[in-house]
Amino acid sequence: MDVKSRNYLLMNRQALEKDIKTSYIMDRMISDEVLTLQEEERVKQQNTQKERAAMLINIILTKDNNSYRSFYNALLHEGYRDLAALLQDGIPAISSGNGKSSMDGMTSYVKTVLCEGGVPQRPVVFVTRPKLVDAIKQKLCCLGSDPGWVTVYGMAGCGKTVLTAEALRDHQLLEDYFPGGVHWISVGKQDKAGLLIKLQNLCSRLEHDSTLSQRPPLNIEEAKDRLRLLMLRKYPRSLLILDDIWDSWVLKAFDNQCQVLITSRDRSVTDAVAGNKYEVHVESGLGHEKGLEILSLFVNMKISELPEQANCLVRECKGSPLVISLIGALLRDFPSRWEYYLKQLQNKQFKRIRKSSSYDYEALDEAMSISVEQLNDNYKDYYKDLSVLPKDVKVPTKVLCILWDMETEEVEDILQEFVNKSLLFCDRNGKSFHYYLHDLQLDFLTEKNRNQLQELHKNIVNQYKKYYKLNTPVPSQEDCMYWYNFLAYHMAGANMQKELRDLMFSLDWIKAKTELVGPAHLIHEYVEYSSILDQKDSTVRENFQEFLSLNGHLLGRQPFPDIIQLGLCQPETSEVYQQAKLYAQRETGTFYLEWINKKSLKNLYRLVVRPHRDAVYHACFSKDRQRIASCGADKTLQVFKAESGERLLEISAHDDEILCCAFSADGEFVATCSADKKVKIWNSRTGQRKCVYEEHSEQVNCCQFNNRSGQYLLATCSNDTFIKLWDLNKKYCRNTMMGHENSVNHCRFSPNDEYVASCSTDGTVKLWEARSGNELKSIEIKDFFKNADEQPDDVEVLVKCCSWSRNGDMILVVAKNKLLLFDVKTCGLLSQVIISHHSTIQYCDFCPGDELVAVALSHCSVELWNIKSLSKVAYCRGHMSWVHCVTFSPDGSLFLTSSDDQTIRIWETKKVCKSSDAVLKSELDVVFHNGEVMILAIYNQKHLQLINGNTDSVIMQTAAPESPISCCCLSEDLKFAAFGQESGTIKVLQLLDGKVLKSQEAYRTSVQHCQFTSDCQTLISSAHDSVIQVWNWQLSECVFLRGHKEAIKDFRLLENSKLLSWSFDGTVKVWNIATGNAEKDFACHGGAVLSCAVSPDGSKFSSTSADKTAKIWSFESSSVLHELKSHEACVRCCTFSPNNKLLATGDDKGEIRIWDILTGALLHFCSPVTVDEGEPTHGGWVTDLSFSPDSKMLVSSGGFLKWWNVTTGESLQTFYTNGTNLKSIHVSPNFKVI
């Protein structure tokens, strides 16, 4: 007995033992020859009814599937229908074939029975659907020997007839349940005269070997009586099959206490007859692979040999067996018409897809329209209203209640009529019903009512406006999501330009919609409906589309940002800014910020998306540039639209981090590889997994498909030192390439697919022949990093990545901070360039044009280089953390970057190359003077710029010095500036003309900090060492402050010529800068001291450390007053409130705490986390803090600026910067300018 059947017996054993009387049940089982007389005697010997039932069940458990079926049927016959219902789902599937089978799997007995019964033969092209066939068999078994009805129902062309006929090709089913035979009659749409002819023919067929020939019945009643006698006397225990029943009155002619199976589009057709009833719903869609299999059989080709149009054809057929078969039969006759029939389907030209099979209707549109014609006139109008429903959308009942202005019950009654006739589908999951049309039905309706579609769309919009008036749906309403997703679609369909513009250009609508569904769908609508929105001017639509495209990564997640504040950051000419300003002026009690110098804003990227909840390791374009696949640390594969970021697929693909993903050349598949050692192949459109490869023994670092369509080859490389080549049509590795001595990090096919390049931690790049897997060449990259006195083996070089030129003549390799370009034939170095001294290269990609190369860097940026001139073309900032990947689109017009910050940014190559590659460093100084904001900043590491922050104009720029500038400062009177260089030199210049007044070679390492004293005569500086220099630049006198044992972190001037310094050695010191003596020495922390702050009254200071603590100290007693311990990460910054009562501290986890100075108590935890897995709201480290003058507000910096209510600890506002991690805050005395 099947395990499932056995489990159902055991699961329901208690109920069975309690209720059944065994004697009559055993009689039936003995007559079925599944129970012996000896076993019956064993049951009768038990003392009580319950014990007898228990013994019977024990005996059944030792037997086969036939015993289960016999017991189930006995329960039905003896009146135990409730108990039989408990066992119904456990009825074992009937295995096909008993006795000798022919080539097609049928025994001669089955062939004879089906032939005599008029059962249709298998179609010329037949693809089995075993689950549905088994379901029909099981329902037939449920009939037992009782009269009853099995209804196989579904929409036109779903395969009801073929599946029913296939279910009857089963020896055991026919022999055990229908020994009287089967009798098939194709009914169809009939009037009474036509039905009488069908009945006369059936009676004649059943009487064919009768000794007495009878006249045909003269009317339906006579035919019914004769059929009843024939079935009762001549054909007992036989099955009558009525194919294609349309009307319930037809069934009354066959309601004669026999066993009947019917096929119909109308589920409710058996409501008019009596008896047991069972249903099998034939779903409307075949799987994609089944569809391809049918086409391949029709055209006599392997699936792998089918042209590219085959996949598109199957998708356009919407899984309908009828349509696929019609197309297949046509292609068999006209094998060159793949493109033609695809266009007919895409253009909804159903009339041109005409009969080429035994199907009853001349064309596809006729097969669908005949169902609609059976509706009464009122119902036809309601059904026509469904023409404007969007595809693949389940519509809540309430939407149709609003459309038809009816109560829920009235609407459900109408829709149930459509459902019963297979004209509509109903999803009954959840609190309410949701309805949807099959794609082909919707296509048919759309085509049929094409001239009325605009009015139908207009009607649904007007009904929405009438119902909601000036309000908008709220999330608690069941129809809410429908209107937010499709109201614009209906307005566009109605060509309601004004209403659509009012909706799409409303910040209220944008805020409400993005909070519910994210920004991607809105971006898609701006693109989709641009022709309507742009009828007057495209500027406004472009403003809103750009606003969403560049802020989508913020709008798509909790906590939801203030959309008004985001709008205020847009250019002043933008309609988004104009609306946001009006909103801000109307709002009372809300804190908003105006960006003063936003004219300098340059958005070089086209779209920012945040599809993952953790670091994004890899992303790539599909060949048609329409889709992007991405993967990362959250173990998911995402596929989304490149235009809008709209998610198409989300797959929990692996058990560990996914390190790489790749589209196949035709875009049909996506490969993923993971730290879980597995490689998986996915259908890029359905998300269905095609195969899993598990031959690697360590994490798989990279996967890449070959470049040509038609052959699916995949290269993978792993920490196990191997590169493997897979053929997707096989389940095993085609080639294993062995030769590397350490982890292989990256691999790529050459443009012509003849070679594979691989990069390894062993310091080499190897080239392999793809066909044979043989190693052709090896390049020792580590040779290019060794010093003169080093042996190659002493140098460790991790080769990260490589990229082929378009013609395959050159290969680009990255390792450490170098780009190296090699000639493939000679393996000779053509050129090399050092990208950065402060960052490592994570990834590289050749632009298809061959001149440009993009490199991703660990310090959050991407650079574009001209490989011929070896010059940097562009510098792209925007990411907040390491950039792991950069990839060009196939045409080179776009490139994308993915990062640890969870975002993917899409950039326009031309736009980036035209922009300036200038970078203002985060080391700058600010002076607030007479209402002006004066900023001294380092420009491109080469120049100093004095900038008016109010106007964003450059007042002064210095000439480039001989060494890069590392730090700078302004004097309070704005007469002088000073800067330190990476060479260790310090210079003082005059701001009026930029003239250098004094210069000193102060250090051997890069200068880190410099600051003027209040009298502007002395400059204090520190570098990457333990000494602070106090330089009276006017007198050329220098005092050295020596005492720290490790490098100085920073310093701060105190009153009376005192200086506070803190160091990586964990100490804080107070110095007399006049004498150079250390007056106080505080051993503050076990780890590095990261920041210090001095209380307003000068009596205390605070220190924060990498040891995750902060401390408050007394200058006078040199003792610690409070140790503040609740931080869970490095405490990065601190500040005292002006009222001398509070201390704020911020850490590397993005958390802020406010403490009571007097008691050391924690008052507020000011950095709530999002609901998304505890993600910090501060975007990384908290780098600086500042209180307002009244101590009621706190501003913090990090990934963005954030303002806090000190009294409550709640966030007041967030200001998102343009993709920049903020290092420090400079606040005006009145706290109005930052």
Side-chain angles (χ1 to χ4, degrees), residues 132 135-136 139-140 143 148-154 160 164 239-242 244-245 251 259-273 275-282 420 422:
L132 284 169
I136 295 171
K139 297 305 181 185
L140 288 172
L143 287 174
W149 308 80
V150 174
T151 305
V152 179
Y153 71 95
K160 303 180 292 292
T164 299
L239 177 67
L240 182 62
I241 301 106
L242 307 177
D244 196 23
I245 294 293
L251 289 188
Q259 296 175 308
V260 185
L261 182 149
I262 67 170
T263 70
S264 178
R265 305 181 194 187
D266 190 344
R267 179 185 182 185
S268 62
V269 76
T270 57
D271 288 352
V273 294
N276 298 325
K277 296 169 188 175
Y278 304 94
E279 292 179 349
V280 177
H281 178 214
V282 179
N420 287 340
S422 297

Side-chain angles (χ1 to χ4, degrees), residues 525-587:
E525 287 177 328
Y526 285 122
V527 176
E528 184 78 8
Y529 309 135
S530 58
S531 60
I532 301 174
L533 296 170
D534 294 352
Q535 283 183 11
K536 289 184 178 179
D537 181 14
S538 65
T539 306
V540 177
R541 192 262 308 162
E542 289 168 355
N543 289 163
F544 278 91
Q545 185 176 330
E546 182 180 70
F547 170 63
L548 284 171
S549 296
L550 302 184
N551 293 285
H553 60 299
L554 304 173
L555 293 167
R557 293 285 181 89
Q558 295 288 344
F560 196 83
D562 188 325
I563 200 165
I564 307 304
Q565 181 60 62
L566 287 178
L568 289 171
C569 295
Q570 297 303 295
E572 292 184 7
T573 56
S574 167
E575 178 67 22
V576 180
Y577 171 80
Q578 301 293 341
Q579 273 197 43
K581 190 159 187 177
L582 289 174
Y583 276 96
Q585 289 168 348
R586 289 201 301 262
E587 291 279 344

Side-chain angles (χ1 to χ4, degrees), residues 494-508:
N495 199 28
M496 301 171 77
Q497 182 192 4
K498 182 183 182 304
E499 288 84 350
L500 184 62
R501 287 174 64 90
D502 289 345
L503 183 78
M504 298 288 287
F505 300 156
S506 161
L507 281 180
D508 281 335

